[in-house]
Amino acid sequence: MRMEEGMMTTKEDRKVVVAVDESEESMYALAWCLGNLAFQTSNTTLLLLYVKPPLPVYSSLDAAGYFFGKDVISAIVDYNKELADSVMDRAEAIYRNSSTPMKIEKKIGSGDAKDVICETVERLGADILVMGCHGYGFFKRALLGSVSDHCSKHVKCPVLVVKRPKN
């Protein structure tokens, strides 16, 4: 529901973006979303978003092409595609095992995950972003950064960060 001029209105088409990756935490977040969020309309679209890491940048330090030769880059591209397909297959299986009636779309982006997720959510006008939480401690979060923290500060829609139980 949205507030417009003091009145509650029902939005016809809802867009739920779930950021997935190869982690158990993101798959748990997807399952939790499907089992716990109330989707009151069949006009809800679930968008599964996976972000591949960017390809390595060719460096002048590797002028001979040993580190990033065509074979190495080709192998990285193939691996990234297989990983993306695997993640999407796992996510789609979780969706099929739920009884939630909604349309499903899959999108694979490339780049820095936090930037691609924020840009995609804004471009689609998503109603909610659902993400898993890796539960990094202070030092790991300081070194690696937190994608969910960045997204919660930069997107305009609500962000649901689902923490996977330890057991």
Side-chain angles (χ1 to χ4, degrees), residues 57-76:
V57 177
Y58 181 78
S59 169
S60 60
L61 298 174
D62 185 29
Y66 291 117
F67 295 120
F68 301 117
K70 290 181 184 176
D71 293 341
V72 173
I73 291 177
S74 177
I76 292 171

Side-chain angles (χ1 to χ4, degrees), residues 26-56:
S26 76
M27 296 301 157
Y28 179 82
L30 172 60
W32 191 95
C33 168
L34 293 170
N36 292 287
L37 290 183
F39 301 107
Q40 300 165 348
T41 172
S42 61
N43 291 340
T44 300
T45 300
L46 174 70
L47 177 78
L48 301 173
L49 175 61
Y50 174 75
V51 182
K52 297 186 294 188
L55 287 176

Side-chain angles (χ1 to χ4, degrees), residues 8-9 14 16 31 37 49 64 87-88 93 108 111:
M8 296 289 276
T9 60
R14 293 219 166 272
V16 177
L37 290 183
L49 175 61
V87 168
M88 286 301 190
I108 298 173

Side-chain angles (χ1 to χ4, degrees), residues 84-105:
D85 290 344
S86 171
V87 168
M88 286 301 190
D89 289 346
R90 286 177 54 210
E92 197 169 9
I94 290 169
Y95 167 75
R96 281 194 309 269
N97 288 335
S98 76
S99 59
T100 309
M102 62 174 59
K103 296 172 250 167
I104 184 172
E105 294 178 10

Side-chain angles (χ1 to χ4, degrees), residues 113-130:
K114 64 183 185 287
D115 295 330
V116 173
I117 292 169
C118 290
E119 290 166 7
T120 302
V121 165
E122 293 304 317
R123 189 175 60 253
L124 294 174
D127 294 290
I128 188 167
L129 168 62
V130 180

Side-chain angles (χ1 to χ4, degrees), residues 150-166:
H150 177 87
C151 292
S152 68
K153 292 176 181 174
H154 291 90
V155 298
K156 294 176 185 156
C157 69
V159 178
L160 175 63
V161 180
V162 180
K163 187 172 182 179
R164 183 176 174 223
K166 296 272 185 210

